[in-house]
Amino acid sequence: MDGPLPPHFTNQQLHNPNHLFPSPHHPPSTLVSQHDLDPLDFQFDPTLENQPDLPELQGRNPFDPSQYDTRNQPRFHEVRSNAPVSDFQQVQHPGQGNQFGEIPRTPARQQLAQNRNEGQFGVLTLHPQLPSQPESHNEPFGQLQSEIDLRPRRSTEGGTDGHFVNMKMIPNPPKLDEWRKKLFDVDDTLTLTEDEFQTYFPHVDNVYSHRSTQRYKRKPFVSHYWDCRLKGRPPGTAKSDDPNKKKRKRTARERNLCDVKIKITEFFPGARTIGGIRGAAHSPVSSHPFAPAPSANGGQPSSSANILDSDHGSGPRHPGNDGSRYYTIQRVNGNGANGKGEVPAGGHKHTIEDSDKVKKNSIYRFFIKEERERRKSQLVVQHPFSNSGISKMSDQANPQQKTYYKKATGAALDTAKKHARDHELKLYGSCFCPFVQRVWVSLELKGLSYQYIEIDPYKKPDELLAINPRGLVPALKHGDWGCYESSILMEYLEDLNTGLPLLPQNDARSRAHCRLWADHINRKIVPQFYGLLQAQEPEKQVEHATQLKSELGKIIEATDPSGPFFLGPHISFVDVQFAPWIIRFRRVLTPYRDWPEPEPGSRWAAWVNAVENNEGVRSTTSTDQLYLDSYERYADNAGDFHMDYFIRFVQVHETFRRPEIHALATLADIDINFLVYSDESPYAIIRLRDDLAAQALISRSISSKAIYELWGSGTCYDELHADIVRRTGEHQWRLYRSCSFRFEFDTFQGSRAWSEQKRIMGAFSYVGFEGPIKMRDAQQTFTIFEEYDVGHSTPKRIFFARLVAPSQRHVLHRYSLKAREYINTTSMDSELALLTANITMAAPDRMFYDPFVGTGSFPVACSHFGAMTLGSDIDGRVVRGKGDKNIRTNFRQYGLLDKYLDGFISDLTHSPLRTGRFLDGVICDPPYGVREGLKVLGKKDGSGREVICIDGEPAHLQDKYIPPKRAYSLEAMLGDILQFAAVSLVDNGRVSVWMPTANDEEIVLRIPSHPALELVASCIQVFNKWSRRLLTYQRLPGVDVHYEPANHGRKDLLGASADDLNSFRKRYFEGFKAPDA
């Protein structure tokens, strides 16, 4: 070499001089302005390779996309197939450069290129070419562009999603108005430094709309063409004729309101030292065919580098002289740009204020989005007051607010972002949940690929509910399989035998030892942790703290003495089980309950430090503030913390409403307390723990319309407004101040004129909502409820509430019998069938049976809520169906065929089902003997057990055989149903059975009972002269029932007529006439 290499030019960057690859491409004849250009002419600035000091990148692959935020990469960046070049000197020939890496061009080298018939640009690649690299990308300028484009650049805080990367989000830079005016007018060609462009262009990018980008293989710059946004563009696709497609309500803006087009030329670092681009002769501003026409004075347009400082120009202050990236901006409409010379020249036909009305600039949009994300990241829920008006917080004027985070923070947020891509292994979690962190740490330690999905506890997605019907996290989905419960999921990850094992290998005793102490954590330590946190009385706190220390001492004594982890030097299953609570001792118990720090040098201190500093734990741990805020509600009387909610019922089937809500609360494991309820009113007030419980409770209700957070109530509007201020206040109104919202009116037994409604709504202006009013798709809905006495014009009760969640009542239309394919006269109404399924607690992973299945109304309703169903009927005709329609047809119609096990022909008194407690629910509507007679198998006199043969074949084995049937007592059948349920239901399983009764009749059917069953609900549907009841029983745990044959063999049931056996049938056909005196 002629001179020493710069320090950054390493030996590994030198290339074999024998590796010369000719290019098959000849230069176009139009490039005469670069007749002196050769790859050997480059004098590349060595400072370009001095990468910024980023300590966090040490040990990482600088070209690993996962280490960078690539979402903000400009769309004009072209992804090339050749590998990125980290040092431009790689394209230079070793042994020919001076101390600055400059390789002078020699006649010999020029002659070599000509002799090889490669043209003046023949040798374009002087380093080994990878097999996958197309030769067309091997020109030096192309490599320079490729290097600049593909080298990942970490997005700065506040990066935008525009066409340029690393734009600076500075809301009020110096002389902003002057910069905006100059960048809007673009009367002269503007030259900007990279810092100026990144600072000021985002303030005017709303004026323009990117149209195209032109790249050059042999030039160190890229040109971006932007039209004025008011120019408009033709629609990309024709309007859809699909009536179901959601139409966007917008007014079409008139096109061609402005003709301005600008060109932004982005010069790469070192561009002014490449190919002699130093003066006007080589500047694209002057030589490019789309350059602006000469100015009015006959000279070239001004090229001042700084629009507020004309000293840049092309002199020593030019921003590119030091090898930096810089930009030029010029107006090109009217000069033949893109072959459209007929476009008028001149500036904008409107003001910059008009552009601001069409679209906001990136700065404005960024800070609006940042504020929106900040509000979304936490949800503040207010301590409510009791319905009696007495404060639950020592008469404080402003109750303390509790914060619920919807996404992780700190290191946990970074980890969540790294695992946001779709993957077959999905972890559903919430940032504040310690049980989620167990599974999360396991995934990180094992190095598995997975997708982390943060769950908003107030909006649980369907895919989570499909895994865990209760919607609790953590939940894991692996392919088409899902499971929940943190300890089970950790065991599952172990059984995959992938990554770092957390349980000892090939040592059954040690594995059992780990499971034993993991169980100790779950059953002894965790309950005491929350007991101490929630206890309010000092005596209780001391009690829980003492017990917690005792249980901690037991597990510490079981740890390996040398440590630092439970089994020794390496983290294991027990450590991961305990880790979420270890980090919460300092972050939660210490600030709220003065929990002491570990004693230095103790075994406990060594364990805590090892867990805290473990990479898998640290990467899944959020900032301390998140835990402080999330656990504040536990520390501040969480045991008694409940909120008042308002349920809007429908005023139909009133006696079904409360049993349904209680059943849904039991199913979702929710504590509920009815504060105000009456069958005469559709309005009820209940007390629940939080919005999450309210949503889970109402999500499948049929008897209600929606559930609301109660903000206030009163007998007049003065009382209502005072109660709103007392219950909520400014701190809660602020949460919804900028949300879009709407007001609704709901009246019962009365009405309001629209003018009065508007006047009443206007009286709520003190809450200070500033968001837009949207009557559709509003973020928040507030409703005024008025309840009247019949005939009165003034409401007796008024409520104001915020909508939390709607019910599932909308499914009634889907299951309407009017559209069902297979029905008969005994098919149960869809609303009552769904109500019955809810009260019987049909749910996924449960099996329900209907012994009088008919056309399958009850099984369809139960399967809608996820239960597996089967049914039977004594009438084979309804089971087999008619033609191509049967019970399966209905399941197929609703997409529930996978929930239907089968249907078979059977009499409940001769059931072929095996004896055993395997059913979760029995649900049925036995015949009343009116439209269909109540019968069982057998002859009227009880005979007929002998086998009858026809043509030598037993009659009962022939296809056309119809077994004999006899009338049966309804009371006896009800007893048989309860007996069957008692021997077939699992503990706490339910049986619901319909039974008829006459209104005001002398003979009343007694409600059947059974020692193993508890009556939990009795609902009534009233008709004209008769009614029917839905009786729901629950199987009592711990009560043994021996199977007994059905009572169809009772002597008093033999030989009797249907009227004699069923008093209801007889009274029905008599018209329920009063008996003769």
Side-chain angles (χ1 to χ4, degrees):
M1 298 182 63
D2 296 336
L5 290 171
H8 64 276
F9 200 107
T10 63
N11 291 332
Q12 288 79 3
Q13 294 168 336
L14 299 178
H15 298 281
N16 190 326
N18 297 323
H19 291 169
L20 301 177
F21 293 85
S23 171
H25 303 287
H26 296 278
S29 57
T30 56
L31 297 178
V32 293
S33 61
Q34 298 184 359
H35 63 280
D36 290 330
L37 196 60
D38 186 274
L40 306 179
D41 286 338
F42 283 85
Q43 180 181 345
F44 195 78
D45 186 354
T47 63
L48 296 181
E49 292 307 313
N50 293 334
Q51 299 297 327
D53 185 15
L54 296 176
E56 68 273 19
L57 297 182
Q58 297 298 326
R60 301 185 184 180
N61 181 0
F63 292 98
D64 181 2
S66 65
Q67 306 296 331
Y68 298 87
D69 183 359
T70 59
R71 295 172 297 175
N72 297 329
Q73 294 298 323
R75 71 181 186 188
F76 54 77
H77 278 187
E78 177 184 353
V79 179
R80 298 178 180 270
S81 58
N82 54 313
V85 182
S86 60
D87 289 279
F88 186 76
Q89 285 84 347
Q90 291 178 0
V91 303
Q92 300 178 351
H93 193 283
Q96 300 294 330
N98 57 24
Q99 59 178 340
F100 299 106
E102 179 180 2
I103 302 179
R105 182 173 182 174
T106 63
R109 294 188 55 78
Q110 184 175 6
Q111 184 63 35
L112 173 64
Q114 295 175 353
N115 292 341
R116 300 174 71 174
N117 296 322
E118 296 162 355
Q120 53 184 331
F121 299 104
V123 181
L124 295 180
T125 302
L126 304 182
H127 65 282
Q129 181 181 14
L130 299 178
S132 61
Q133 295 176 336
E135 295 180 353
S136 59
H137 288 167
N138 286 331
E139 294 86 346
F141 286 114
Q143 290 179 345
L144 177 59
Q145 293 191 28
S146 176
E147 176 187 3
I148 299 299
D149 293 351
L150 293 180
R151 177 183 299 136
R153 287 174 288 176
R154 188 180 294 272
S155 295
T156 59
E157 287 293 329
T160 65
D161 294 329
H163 300 291
F164 293 97
V165 75
N166 291 344
M167 304 303 277
K168 298 181 179 180
M169 299 293 105
I170 303 176
N172 293 297
K175 301 182 180 180
L176 177 59
D177 292 338
E178 298 178 52
W179 278 92
R180 275 175 53 86
K181 185 177 186 305
K182 287 288 187 180
L183 292 172
F184 177 78
D185 295 335
V186 197
D187 291 330
D188 297 317
T189 298
L190 311 175
T191 305
L192 288 75
T193 66
E194 183 175 19
D195 182 70
E196 292 168 345
F197 182 82
Q198 293 176 349
T199 300
Y200 291 99
F201 187 74
H203 287 275
V204 295
D205 61 358
N206 60 310
V207 176
Y208 304 102
S209 176
H210 181 263
R211 286 297 181 263
S212 63
T213 293
Q214 184 172 357
R215 309 179 65 87
Y216 311 93
K217 292 183 179 179
R218 301 175 178 85
K219 295 182 181 179
F221 54 82
V222 174
S223 300
H224 313 287
Y225 292 90
W226 297 60
D227 287 350
C228 177
R229 192 170 297 277
L230 269 68
K231 177 180 179 60
R233 69 168 76 188
T237 58
K239 290 185 177 181
S240 173
D241 296 329
D242 185 2
N244 298 321
K245 184 176 181 180
K246 185 176 180 180
K247 302 298 190 297
R248 298 176 65 184
K249 290 188 175 181
R250 55 164 37 173
T251 303
R253 188 171 67 243
E254 185 179 353
R255 291 176 54 195
N256 298 321
L257 297 179
C258 186
D259 300 305
V260 168
K261 176 190 289 288
I262 65 171
K263 182 179 73 170
I264 301 176
T265 305
E266 176 184 4
F267 290 85
F268 300 142
R272 284 182 60 82
T273 67
I274 297 176
I277 302 180
R278 293 185 180 273
H282 295 285
S283 172
V285 173
S286 59
S287 63
H288 196 273
F290 294 158
S295 59
N297 58 11
Q300 293 293 331
S302 171
S303 59
S304 65
N306 188 331
I307 59 176
L308 302 179
D309 183 358
S310 60
D311 293 337
H312 279 346
S314 59
R317 294 191 58 185
H318 192 284
N321 285 347
D322 60 354
S324 301
R325 184 188 304 266
Y326 68 96
Y327 299 81
T328 63
I329 305 177
Q330 58 188 124
R331 195 170 65 234
V332 295
N333 52 295
N335 65 354
N338 289 349
K340 297 181 179 179
E342 70 279 2
V343 177
H348 293 279
K349 301 177 182 178
H350 55 87
T351 64
I352 192 172
E353 289 76 14
D354 294 331
S355 294
D356 291 338
K357 293 177 183 179
V358 172
K359 186 175 182 178
K360 303 299 182 183
N361 61 51
S362 293
I363 302 294
Y364 179 90
R365 298 198 309 272
F366 169 77
F367 285 103
I368 289 295
K369 180 179 179 181
E370 188 179 63
E371 175 64 18
R372 187 182 300 115
E373 291 298 325
R374 185 191 65 79
R375 291 196 303 266
K376 285 183 178 180
S377 67
Q378 58 184 27
L379 176 65
V380 181
V381 181
Q382 158 70 28
H383 264 310
F385 293 88
S386 64
N387 191 56
S388 62
I390 301 176
S391 171
K392 301 189 69 173
M393 300 180 59
S394 305
D395 299 326
Q396 291 180 346
N398 288 324
Q400 190 175 3
Q401 61 186 21
K402 310 297 173 188
T403 306
Y404 296 86
Y405 286 77
K406 292 185 177 181
K407 63 181 180 180
T409 59
L413 178 60
D414 295 336
T415 305
K417 289 181 178 180
K418 290 179 183 178
H419 294 277
R421 291 177 178 268
D422 184 59
H423 195 275
E424 65 169 357
L425 181 60
K426 305 177 189 294
L427 172 62
Y428 297 87
S430 294
C431 56
F432 51 81
C433 178
F435 299 97
V436 170
Q437 191 174 10
R438 281 177 168 176
V439 186
W440 203 359
V441 172
S442 297
L443 288 167
E444 285 294 301
L445 292 176
K446 290 179 173 295
L448 299 177
S449 298
Y450 65 94
Q451 179 185 5
Y452 178 80
I453 302 175
E454 186 77 41
I455 296 299
D456 181 350
Y458 299 93
K459 296 179 181 179
K460 298 186 177 181
D462 293 338
E463 53 267 27
L464 172 62
L465 296 175
I467 301 171
N468 186 348
R470 295 176 60 188
L472 301 180
V473 291
L476 200 68
K477 185 176 182 181
H478 198 178
D480 58 357
W481 176 87
C483 191
Y484 49 93
E485 296 294 344
S486 60
S487 296
I488 302 299
L489 298 182
M490 288 181 61
E491 293 268 9
Y492 172 73
L493 295 177
E494 283 297 299
D495 292 340
L496 293 178
N497 295 320
T498 304
L500 175 71
L502 298 178
L503 285 172
Q505 300 297 294
N506 303 319
D507 189 345
R509 294 181 179 180
S510 296
R511 295 168 73 92
H513 178 71
C514 290
R515 292 188 176 100
L516 176 66
W517 286 104
D519 182 69
H520 177 82
I521 294 170
N522 292 326
R523 294 197 302 113
K524 300 295 184 180
I525 295 180
V526 172
Q528 293 301 328
F529 177 94
Y530 288 109
L532 172 59
L533 187 61
Q534 291 178 295
Q536 302 302 307
E537 299 81 7
E539 298 80 7
K540 288 288 186 181
Q541 293 181 5
V542 171
E543 178 184 344
H544 286 292
T546 303
Q547 189 65 29
L548 179 57
K549 290 181 180 179
S550 174
E551 302 300 339
L552 277 176
K554 294 176 183 178
I555 193 172
I556 293 172
E557 187 177 350
T559 61
D560 182 271
S562 58
F565 293 104
F566 181 78
L567 291 180
H570 303 294
I571 193 168
S572 67
F573 192 87
V574 178
D575 301 298
V576 177
Q577 283 268 321
F578 201 10
W581 282 272
I582 288 180
I583 69 170
R584 283 163 175 78
F585 276 109
R586 180 180 64 81
R587 293 165 174 81
V588 177
L589 279 190
T590 296
Y592 285 125
R593 293 294 179 263
D594 294 327
W595 183 262
E597 294 286 345
E599 183 179 350
S602 64
R603 180 66 181 87
W604 171 237
W607 196 5
V608 170
N609 292 334
V611 170
E612 290 260 12
N613 294 313
N614 179 264
E615 184 61 27
V617 177
R618 293 175 58 185
S619 63
T620 59
T621 302
S622 293
T623 57
D624 292 0
Q625 192 63 42
L626 181 144
Y627 300 109
L628 275 173
D629 294 339
S630 298
Y631 283 87
E632 187 179 3
R633 66 189 181 101
Y634 289 96
D636 291 344
N637 202 13
D640 296 328
F641 175 58
H642 286 79
M643 303 175 64
D644 291 350
Y645 288 88
F646 183 91
I647 297 182
R648 203 318 184 176
F649 286 108
V650 293
Q651 198 61 17
V652 64
H653 304 310
E654 294 87 349
T655 60
F656 290 75
R657 302 184 312 197
R658 193 163 177 169
E660 185 204 31
I661 295 298
H662 275 298
L664 295 179
T666 302
L667 191 62
D669 193 19
I670 296 172
D671 293 329
I672 183 174
N673 182 21
F674 274 86
L675 304 178
V676 177
Y677 179 82
S678 171
D679 284 346
E680 306 301 322
S681 171
Y683 303 147
I685 299 175
I686 63 173
R687 184 159 292 169
L688 298 172
R689 189 173 187 85
D690 52 26
D691 280 7
L692 179 61
Q695 184 182 18
L697 178 70
I698 212 69
S699 61
R700 49 179 282 177
S701 173
I702 301 298
S703 63
S704 64
K705 290 185 176 180
I707 193 167
Y708 300 77
E709 179 189 13
L710 183 64
W711 279 33
S713 64
T715 58
C716 64
Y717 277 97
D718 289 340
E719 289 186 12
L720 175 67
H721 292 307
D723 195 40
I724 292 174
V725 174
R726 181 174 55 84
R727 285 177 178 266
T728 57
E730 174 67 24
H731 59 281
Q732 187 161 354
W733 305 340
R734 191 183 305 116
L735 300 177
Y736 310 102
R737 181 149 294 167
S738 60
C739 298
S740 62
F741 70 97
R742 65 175 178 178
F743 271 61
E744 291 182 341
F745 238 89
D746 187 300
T747 61
F748 177 64
Q749 298 183 155
S751 62
R752 287 276 188 182
W754 172 238
S755 58
E756 294 183 356
Q757 292 184 18
K758 290 194 296 183
R759 176 183 58 80
I760 292 172
M761 292 178 188
F764 289 86
S765 59
Y766 58 87
V767 298
F769 294 155
E770 299 174 355
I773 298 175
K774 290 186 177 181
M775 298 312 295
R776 295 183 60 183
D777 301 325
Q779 292 175 291
Q780 299 295 333
T781 298
F782 296 89
T783 306
I784 303 167
F785 298 90
E786 292 184 340
E787 183 177 5
Y788 295 78
D789 282 328
V790 177
H792 290 69
S793 59
T794 303
K796 66 176 182 179
R797 289 194 305 172
I798 310 170
F799 306 92
F800 183 69
R802 177 185 65 87
L803 177 66
V804 175
S807 71
Q808 202 174 128
R809 188 171 175 81
H810 62 274
V811 302
L812 294 182
H813 176 73
R814 178 189 180 196
Y815 290 99
S816 172
L817 293 182
K818 295 179 180 180
R820 190 169 297 179
E821 295 186 18
Y822 180 57
I823 63 172
N824 63 14
T825 57
T826 62
S827 296
M828 178 63 73
D829 171 70
S830 61
E831 181 174 1
L832 290 174
L834 290 166
L835 282 171
T836 305
N838 265 342
I839 295 173
T840 320
M841 300 198 306
D845 300 326
R846 298 192 176 194
M847 183 181 295
F848 273 62
Y849 170 58
D850 181 1
F852 305 93
V853 66
T855 59
S857 294
F858 285 132
V860 165
C862 294
S863 292
H864 166 74
F865 293 117
M868 305 298 293
T869 56
L870 71 159
S872 64
D873 203 290
I874 193 174
D875 189 349
R877 295 171 297 180
V878 296
V879 176
R880 288 188 293 265
K882 185 176 182 180
D884 59 347
K885 294 184 178 180
N886 51 36
I887 299 175
R888 298 178 67 87
T889 303
N890 290 336
F891 279 87
R892 186 179 297 107
Q893 177 183 355
Y894 300 120
L896 301 173
L897 196 56
D898 60 324
K899 304 294 184 184
Y900 181 54
L901 297 176
D902 207 349
F904 55 94
I905 303 169
S906 171
D907 167 19
L908 183 64
T909 62
H910 296 81
S911 177
L913 295 177
R914 65 178 174 86
T915 302
R917 299 176 61 185
F918 64 96
L919 293 174
D920 296 282
V922 177
I923 182 170
C924 61
D925 181 22
Y928 312 147
V930 179
R931 286 178 292 184
E932 183 179 358
L934 177 56
K935 297 181 180 181
V936 296
L937 296 177
K939 290 188 177 181
K940 186 175 183 179
D941 58 0
S943 64
R945 293 183 178 273
E946 66 279 1
V947 177
I948 300 176
C949 293
I950 301 177
D951 297 333
E953 181 182 1
H956 66 278
L957 297 179
Q958 297 183 9
D959 292 338
K960 297 182 179 180
Y961 175 76
I962 299 178
K965 304 180 183 68
R966 62 182 177 86
Y968 198 62
S969 167
L970 179 59
E971 290 188 54
M973 179 57 73
L974 294 175
D976 293 339
I977 293 172
L978 296 190
Q979 173 65 18
F980 174 81
V983 300
S984 302
L985 289 176
V986 299
D987 287 347
N988 298 316
R990 290 195 173 192
V991 52
S992 290
V993 56
W994 286 83
M995 62 169 287
T997 180
N999 298 338
D1000 300 326
E1001 67 172 332
E1002 294 291 333
I1003 303 175
V1004 179
L1005 282 174
R1006 70 175 181 86
I1007 295 179
S1009 62
H1010 194 283
L1013 300 173
E1014 176 189 10
L1015 181 66
V1016 294
S1018 177
C1019 311
I1020 185 170
Q1021 180 187 20
V1022 179
F1023 297 105
N1024 185 16
K1025 295 183 179 181
W1026 68 286
S1027 307
R1028 61 177 176 179
R1029 291 180 181 272
L1030 175 65
L1031 305 176
T1032 302
Y1033 302 82
Q1034 185 163 298
R1035 181 63 164 87
L1036 296 173
V1039 179
D1040 295 331
V1041 177
H1042 298 289
Y1043 177 77
E1044 297 179 1
N1047 54 22
H1048 67 278
R1050 286 168 40 186
K1051 298 298 183 182
D1052 58 324
L1053 301 179
L1054 299 177
S1057 65
D1059 288 344
D1060 295 335
L1061 294 174
N1062 296 308
S1063 59
F1064 174 79
R1065 169 188 167 86
K1066 183 177 180 180
R1067 296 294 304 279
Y1068 181 88
F1069 286 110
E1070 289 177 352
F1072 299 102
K1073 295 179 181 179
D1076 296 336

